[in-house]
Amino acid sequence: DWTWLNGRSTIHDGGSVTQPAARYGASFWIDSSDNLWLFGGYGVGQNLSLQGQLNDLWKFDGLDWSLESGSTESRQSGTYTALGSVGVPGSRRGATSWIDASGNLWMFGGQGYDGPGVSGELNDLWKYDVGGSTWIWIGGSSNADRSGSYGNNGLNYPGGRHYATSWLDSNGDVWLFGGTGFDDSGTDGYLNDLWKFSGGYWSWVKGSSMVDSLGAYGTLGESASGNVPSARYVPNAWIDDSNQLWLFGGYGYDPAGSGIEGALNDLWTFDGTDWTWMGGTTNLDSQGAYGTQ
C-alpha cells in the first residue's frame, strides 16, 4: 500500500520556506542517515507567475523539509568564482547526481542557467559539502552549450547535456551515459557516449563522439567490442554486486535508422570493457508482454 507522507494535493503549488514547490526533473540523493536531498527541477517557485528551472536544495528527514541552499524563485543564474571555490549552481532540470563515501552530494550538467544567465545545456560539475553547507564548483564550464572534448590528451570532458544517467561503482568511480546535448562538433541531439569520472578526471570509454548514433546491438546475450546502445535520454540504470552497469530503455531514434523517435525497451549490461544486449527489442514503442500478475 501507498501512504501519503507529505506535500499538498494541489497542482502547481508554489511551496513555502518549509515545503518545496511542485516540480519535475529534479535531482536527488539518499545519505547514510536515510535523509532525502532534492535539488532544482522545473517548477513554479514561490512566485507563481514565473515558471522555470529551480536551484533550491532541500533535505527531508522523514518528517520535515528544510531549505539548505539556493533560491525559492526560478530562473537563477549560477555563481562561479574559480574552480575549487565556493559558488552556487544555476537553476536547472535533468541534472545527473550521485553521493560519495563521505556523504557529499555531486551533480553534473542539466538544462538550465549558466553564469551569464543564458539558458542551455550545462556541463558543470558541482559538489555540495554537507559538513560545510556549501556548493563547490569542481569542473566544467560556466557557460552553457559547450561541446564535448573526446581527444586522448587528458583534457577529455563531456559536453553540455541533460537527462543523462549515471552509476557509482564500488571503487567510488562514476559512470555517465548519454542524455540529450552537445557532441564533439557542437551539434545538439541524443548521445550514446559512456564516460568515467575517476581521480578528478573524465575519460571517454565507449560510444560515439557524434549525436544521434544508431548503436550496434550485435547478438542477444553476447558481448562484443563493437556493441553499443543507440543514442537516448532518460534511460533507467543500476549497478549490480559485480560492478556491472545495467541500462534499460529511454527515448531516442529508431535503431533501424528510420529517423523516427520513440520509447525504447532494450536492456544492456556493461562489464567495464564491452556492452552486451541482454533483452528487449530493437524496435521503438514495443508493447510489453505481462503474462499473469
Side-chain angles (χ1 to χ4, degrees):
D1 299 318
W2 284 100
T3 302
W4 179 24
L5 293 179
N6 197 280
R8 301 186 178 98
S9 59
T10 56
I11 63 171
H12 303 310
D13 188 273
S16 67
V17 292
T18 59
Q19 182 78 50
R23 67 194 65 203
Y24 73 90
S27 300
F28 61 91
W29 306 259
I30 300 291
D31 66 24
S32 60
S33 300
D34 282 340
N35 296 308
L36 167 67
W37 295 78
L38 181 79
F39 176 88
Y42 187 98
V44 290
Q46 290 190 33
N47 180 357
L48 297 181
S49 65
L50 190 63
Q51 294 190 23
Q53 285 91 343
L54 301 159
N55 80 330
D56 47 351
L57 177 67
W58 295 82
K59 182 174 76 170
F60 183 69
D61 63 9
L63 295 174
D64 300 306
W65 287 101
S66 58
L67 179 61
E68 303 293 323
S69 175
S71 174
T72 56
E73 303 299 343
S74 62
R75 307 184 188 183
Q76 301 296 305
S77 301
T79 302
Y80 303 81
T81 51
L83 285 173
S85 299
V86 173
V88 180
S91 299
R92 66 193 67 199
R93 64 183 172 93
T96 307
S97 58
W98 62 92
I99 190 167
D100 66 23
S102 299
N104 297 309
L105 318 180
W106 290 73
M107 182 173 67
F108 172 81
Q111 202 281 331
Y113 290 85
D114 64 10
V118 176
S119 177
E121 304 284 0
L122 302 164
N123 80 332
D124 48 354
L125 178 64
W126 291 86
K127 180 177 77 171
Y128 185 75
D129 182 345
V130 173
S133 300
T134 54
W135 282 106
I136 301 170
W137 177 31
I138 300 296
S141 177
S142 59
N143 297 106
D145 298 342
R146 304 295 293 184
S147 302
S149 177
Y150 292 82
N152 295 312
N153 56 5
L155 300 176
N156 296 352
Y157 213 94
R161 68 191 63 200
H162 72 289
Y163 287 142
T165 194
S166 67
W167 305 261
L168 179 65
D169 67 24
S170 61
N171 299 316
D173 297 328
V174 176
W175 299 78
L176 179 80
F177 175 83
T180 177
F182 287 87
D183 66 10
D184 186 47
S185 68
T187 303
D188 191 11
Y190 300 135
L191 297 157
N192 78 332
D193 47 353
L194 179 66
W195 294 80
K196 182 180 181 181
F197 182 72
S198 179
Y201 296 95
W202 288 101
S203 56
W204 174 36
V205 178
K206 281 281 187 178
S208 177
S209 62
M210 307 301 290
V211 295
D212 302 334
S213 170
L214 300 180
Y217 282 68
T219 301
L220 187 67
E222 295 182 10
S223 65
S225 60
N227 291 353
V228 64
S230 57
R232 67 195 65 197
Y233 75 112
V234 291
N236 292 289
W238 62 96
I239 194 163
D240 65 23
D241 292 337
S242 301
N243 264 349
Q244 289 195 117
L245 316 181
W246 290 78
L247 181 81
F248 176 81
Y251 189 93
Y253 283 108
D254 180 4
S258 69
I260 300 173
E261 301 175 54
L264 297 155
N265 79 331
D266 48 349
L267 176 66
W268 292 82
T269 185
F270 183 76
D271 62 9
T273 303
D274 296 317
W275 284 105
T276 304
W277 172 36
M278 300 295 291
T281 74
T282 61
N283 303 319
L284 293 180
D285 301 331
S286 292
Q287 292 181 325
Y290 283 75
T292 302
Q293 187 175 25

